Amino acid sequence: MDLKTLAAALLGGVMLVAAGPAPAQSVLKVKPSGDVKVLDPMLGSDSMARNFGYMIYDTLFAVDDKLAIEPQMVETWETSADGKVWTFVLRGGLTFSDGQPVTSDDVIASLKRWSVNDSLGQQLNQRGAAWQAVDAKTFRLTLTSPWGMVLDALGKPGAPVPFIMPARIASATPPNQAVTDQTGSGPFVFKKDEWMAGARLVFTKNPSYAPRAEAPAGFSGGKVAKVDRVEWLIIPDQQTALNALLKGEIDISEELSGDLIPLAKKSKEIALARQDEIGVAQQIRINSLQPPFDNPKLRQALLQAVDGADFLAAVIDDPDLGRPCRSFYVCSSPYFTEAGFPKFDLAKARALVKESGYDGTPVVLLDAAENPNIHAFTTVADELLKSIGFKTDLQAMDWATVVARRASKEPVGKGGWSIFISGPGGLDMMEPVSHLGLRSNCEKAWFGWPCDAEIETMRAAFADLSDKAQRQALAAKIQARAAETVPYVPIGVQYQIRAYRANLTGLLTPPAPVYWNITRR
């Protein structure tokens, strides 16, 4: 690489290679939607850690472009007549990026570690999940009672994803600590020696990876790395990223903000498309553990005060880019319902604040100022909270700091928090069992730690139902209870717009960005 060219392409503290003679290797340069702070996708629900995981790990099962579960690392499987015993056989040729074969022991160690932090994994464990390696390629799951969502769990696409890593890493690393070795089972290899924290992540084609023979669809099928190298360049400023894209200095800019879309459309060399058709479920996450929102009346006041249309209007002016959802289920969910969801009423919200005995404890809002959407939503939330009687403390930081800070369970006066805005993938909000936001299992719940035994009982019962009508009826009851406990406040669905060089082909549209199957015309 020409060092003079590299130096000349320094944009906003991020090194970008200017257009020039084709390099010896094919390189795809991507501006991701955020930085990756934790290099372990099993540790929690962070979407960037999940996206990182899809680059370097693979899964036993995966969802296709119609959200159907398909085998990925598994070749065959069978279930006993009583539904309590599941036997799986790995397909041949599976190898980790260090050249070692993938074995049943690796799978079992990975799933045991994943299950501690994941809602579906926890429910597997509650049903007495016992894993046994039959031989190097065959493993068995035995349950104390049948469960209809075993394959849904093993093919879960949302964070934390049940990725497969070597047993030597999974077994040696507690579920609440990040792995330090990123040896993976997927189509790319993470080049840790080239990692520049806050600036660049580099992935190279995994020569040991054996893709499936089927065509790629969603997260399933043949994950063929058609470029030698993928670089994620962390560019906080969206205008800077678009300028780099227009100049050909990068190939893809994830999550283009609405105000820049008209500018991108003017260039014939740039194409625009939705990242996926499910979207992200924008929401206000509330800390239910600490004052002031440990008081349910204050959570109800916020739910009453939020009009999703007002929030979305702050970031988009095109209805095709998003819509409000008065539901805890994403708009496209088969279980979408407005049951029990209160109507927007500022006067009632103010009354609830007064009735609650609110003592003036400041609401600390974590503002990921580098992200234009989250920043806009947080600003709207700040003004709204003030208007209904809260004192607020808006604290600006980058998203990586939000990810670190939101894990704190301390009071707001000791570095804690009250609210942050997040946009988990819509797949995480489709149904009650794997629903990231509805989890109300106290210390094991998502950040905010809502605690409600009634919701948890109903979520567990949902997985035992096979009749769709019965499932929909129970989903509505869960929604109505959530409107009382308020684990978080839904804003609506927003569709991420990806801008990319028009000479790229093969881009896929699963609910998280992936970079296999891409070529350049």
Side-chain angles (χ1 to χ4, degrees):
M1 182 180 292
D2 186 334
L3 294 178
K4 185 181 292 184
T5 300
L6 184 62
L10 187 63
L11 293 175
V14 178
M15 286 185 275
L16 304 174
V17 179
Q25 287 187 318
S26 55
V27 181
L28 188 71
K29 297 180 181 294
V30 178
K31 181 267 180 192
S33 58
D35 194 7
V36 182
K37 184 72 171 181
V38 179
L39 304 178
D40 186 348
M42 282 191 190
L43 200 58
S45 59
D46 181 53
S47 60
M48 288 308 303
R50 173 203 63 193
N51 297 354
F52 172 84
Y54 274 115
M55 294 293 288
I56 65 172
Y57 299 108
D58 210 348
T59 55
L60 298 179
F61 293 85
V63 294
D64 64 14
D65 51 357
K66 294 180 175 60
L67 305 183
I69 297 289
E70 301 289 349
Q72 192 61 26
M73 298 177 78
V74 164
E75 184 67 40
T76 61
W77 69 99
E78 61 182 21
T79 313
S80 63
D82 62 4
K84 295 181 181 180
V85 180
W86 294 72
T87 304
F88 305 89
V89 179
L90 295 172
R91 61 187 177 89
L94 296 179
T95 308
F96 288 111
S97 57
D98 62 358
Q100 295 299 307
V102 178
T103 69
S104 297
D105 289 337
D106 298 309
V107 170
I108 291 171
S110 298
L111 295 178
K112 284 183 175 179
R113 182 171 184 268
W114 158 80
S115 68
V116 174
N117 293 327
D118 182 75
S119 62
L120 291 180
Q122 290 166 8
Q123 292 207 36
L124 265 179
N125 292 339
Q126 289 169 7
R127 285 162 174 78
W131 298 94
Q132 175 191 4
V134 179
D135 57 39
K137 292 177 59 177
T138 307
F139 57 98
R140 184 169 293 140
L141 167 65
T142 302
L143 304 174
T144 54
S145 60
W147 192 49
M149 298 192 72
V150 170
L151 298 186
D152 299 83
L154 300 183
K156 178 179 180 286
V161 179
F163 291 120
I164 303 304
M165 60 180 60
R168 63 179 175 81
I169 299 172
S171 298
T173 312
N176 63 345
Q177 295 180 19
V179 298
T180 57
D181 184 335
Q182 283 73 38
T183 299
S185 53
F188 292 97
V189 178
F190 176 54
K191 298 290 291 180
K192 198 168 186 177
D193 59 330
E194 296 189 51
W195 179 33
M196 298 172 61
R200 183 181 68 183
L201 295 92
V202 176
F203 308 87
T204 57
K205 182 177 181 178
N206 182 0
S208 300
Y209 181 73
R212 293 189 70 91
E214 300 93 338
F219 291 120
S220 72
K223 300 180 179 180
V224 180
K226 296 184 178 180
V227 294
D228 299 308
R229 179 180 173 98
V230 179
E231 296 182 3
W232 286 6
L233 303 172
I234 312 304
I235 311 174
D237 182 69
Q238 292 242 359
Q239 181 66 66
T240 301
L242 179 57
N243 291 343
L245 183 66
L246 291 168
K247 295 176 183 177
E249 295 168 341
I250 61 174
D251 299 296
I252 298 172
S253 182
E254 294 178 5
E255 199 175 351
L256 189 67
S257 59
D259 61 314
L260 295 179
I261 289 175
L263 180 59
K265 284 182 176 179
K266 292 180 180 179
S267 173
K268 294 181 179 179
E269 296 181 345
I270 303 300
L272 298 173
R274 285 183 180 178
Q275 180 70 52
D276 64 80
E277 294 302 320
I278 296 175
V280 297
Q282 300 289 5
Q283 60 182 252
I284 301 172
R285 194 67 188 179
I286 309 170
N287 189 337
S288 302
L289 192 64
Q290 294 288 352
F293 289 115
D294 60 334
N295 186 328
K297 276 198 173 182
L298 292 180
R299 300 197 300 271
Q300 291 164 7
L302 184 56
L303 181 65
Q304 196 86 54
V306 169
D307 183 348
D310 290 341
F311 279 76
L312 291 171
V315 297
I316 61 175
D317 57 8
D318 184 344
D320 287 338
L321 300 181
R323 56 176 171 148
C325 284
R326 290 167 41 79
S327 177
F328 289 96
Y329 304 107
V330 70
C331 297
S332 57
S333 166
Y335 303 104
F336 175 84
T337 174
E338 295 186 357
F341 208 90
K343 294 182 179 179
F344 169 69
D345 190 334
L346 278 179
K348 188 170 183 180
R350 293 189 185 101
L352 283 168
V353 173
K354 289 182 180 179
E355 292 171 14
S356 72
Y358 173 58
D359 63 359
T361 299
V363 175
V364 173
L365 297 96
L366 306 184
D367 178 18
E370 66 177 349
N371 185 302
N373 284 1
I374 291 179
H375 174 63
F377 290 147
T378 308
T379 301
V380 173
D382 182 50
E383 293 301 320
L384 179 62
L385 286 161
K386 291 175 182 175
S387 75
I388 60 174
F390 286 97
K391 293 181 180 179
T392 66
D393 180 4
L394 184 67
Q395 299 185 10
M397 58 195 71
D398 59 23
W399 177 247
T401 304
V402 172
V403 169
R405 178 83 171 271
R406 68 184 182 178
S408 172
K409 295 180 180 178
E410 294 295 324
V412 293
K414 295 183 178 180
W417 60 276
S418 307
I419 278 174
F420 69 89
I421 307 291
S422 181
L427 276 179
D428 294 322
M429 310 288 165
M430 294 288 281
E431 45 79 19
V433 179
S434 63
H435 198 302
L436 183 65
L438 275 178
R439 284 172 58 186
S440 299
N441 51 345
C442 310
E443 296 293 314
K444 294 181 179 180
W446 197 39
F447 304 104
W449 309 285
C451 190
D452 186 70
E454 186 175 338
I455 285 180
E456 287 304 291
T457 298
M458 288 191 288
R459 289 177 64 238
F462 183 92
D464 294 325
L465 298 175
S466 57
D467 180 77
K468 185 175 182 180
Q470 291 179 337
R471 281 189 167 191
Q472 288 175 326
L474 185 54
K477 290 181 180 179
I478 295 171
Q479 152 104 355
R481 177 59 180 169
E484 297 173 358
T485 64
V486 194
Y488 69 96
V489 176
I491 293 173
V493 166
Q494 189 175 1
Y495 300 104
Q496 294 180 317
I497 300 300
R498 173 170 54 192
Y500 58 97
R501 300 292 296 180
N503 64 344
L504 296 181
T505 62
L507 279 76
L508 301 170
T509 57
V514 297
Y515 293 104
W516 54 82
N517 199 53
I518 297 177
T519 57
R520 198 188 310 273
R521 285 196 296 263

